[in-house]
Amino acid sequence: MMIVLLKRAIPWEESFSVPFAFGLYFVGFSLFTLPTSKAIDLIDIFGISLFVIGSVLNTGGEILRNQWKKNPDNKGKIYTEGFFKYSRHINYFGDLLWVTAYAIITRNWFAVSIPIFLFCLFAFYNAPKLDKYLKTKYGKGYDDYANRTKMLIPFLY
């Protein structure tokens, strides 16, 4: 997604935070599941479903936005359609869902610390920083969008 679909410059901070986050997910969740060995049940199916929904929101939202941006009539306009009509940062929300799915599948209460950490990172750093950039780039268009659309969690926050 970052290589193909992302149409903005990647700030230097993200060159550290994104690999750190993926290291945290893949190493952290692996460590939390070491003592687990059992057949798949309804909790696992729920976790897998949450993972799929989160992945669709994240990547699907970016694919839809990328297609919209290819239309020359949309040049200079902010994208507020598709999944992004439910949340200004629906891709971050998708990330939260699939990371929460990993935590659920581990069956380890300590694993919940990873999605909580990610929520805090998105809610208090990434999303506000991106909102500031979008406000500068789109002005009133962004203000109108922000006034009618929740920041991170659709319909709630």
Side-chain angles (χ1 to χ4, degrees):
M1 192 287 294
M2 288 185 74
I3 295 168
V4 176
L5 300 176
L6 194 64
K7 299 300 180 191
R8 65 177 172 84
I10 299 172
W12 69 267
E13 299 95 6
E14 287 185 33
S15 65
F16 297 106
S17 65
V18 171
F20 173 77
F22 279 96
L24 180 65
Y25 308 151
F26 297 121
V27 173
F29 287 125
S30 297
L31 293 174
F32 284 130
T33 60
L34 284 176
T36 304
S37 176
K38 57 187 225 125
I40 292 177
D41 62 10
L42 287 176
I43 293 173
D44 296 316
I45 292 170
F46 174 72
I48 292 166
S49 301
L50 201 59
F51 179 87
V52 169
I53 293 166
S55 297
V56 167
L57 289 175
N58 180 300
T59 306
E62 294 296 344
I63 290 169
L64 293 172
R65 178 167 49 188
N66 189 48
Q67 290 171 343
W68 183 85
K69 285 187 173 239
K70 286 180 179 178
N71 182 344
D73 294 339
N74 297 326
K75 186 161 179 72
K77 297 178 186 174
I78 188 167
Y79 180 67
T80 63
E81 299 174 14
F83 298 135
F84 285 87
K85 67 183 168 190
Y86 302 109
S87 165
R88 297 192 312 269
H89 303 286
I90 197 72
N91 49 343
Y92 292 162
F93 180 65
D95 283 345
L96 283 172
L97 291 181
W98 69 257
V99 169
T100 301
Y102 277 168
I104 290 168
I105 290 171
T106 67
R107 308 289 177 97
N108 184 318
W109 283 102
F110 294 111
V112 175
S113 63
I114 296 174
I116 290 171
F117 172 78
L118 185 64
F119 172 81
C120 292
L121 184 67
F122 286 160
F124 304 115
Y125 180 73
N126 292 66
K129 185 174 180 175
L130 186 53
D131 284 344
K132 185 177 178 182
Y133 163 79
L134 293 171
K135 181 171 177 48
T136 301
K137 184 171 181 174
Y138 297 108
K140 183 173 173 5
Y142 173 78
D143 289 337
D144 293 343
Y145 176 50
N147 287 333
R148 70 176 184 274
T149 311
K150 298 294 184 185
M151 179 178 69
L152 186 59
I153 301 172
F155 313 110
L156 297 176
Y157 175 74

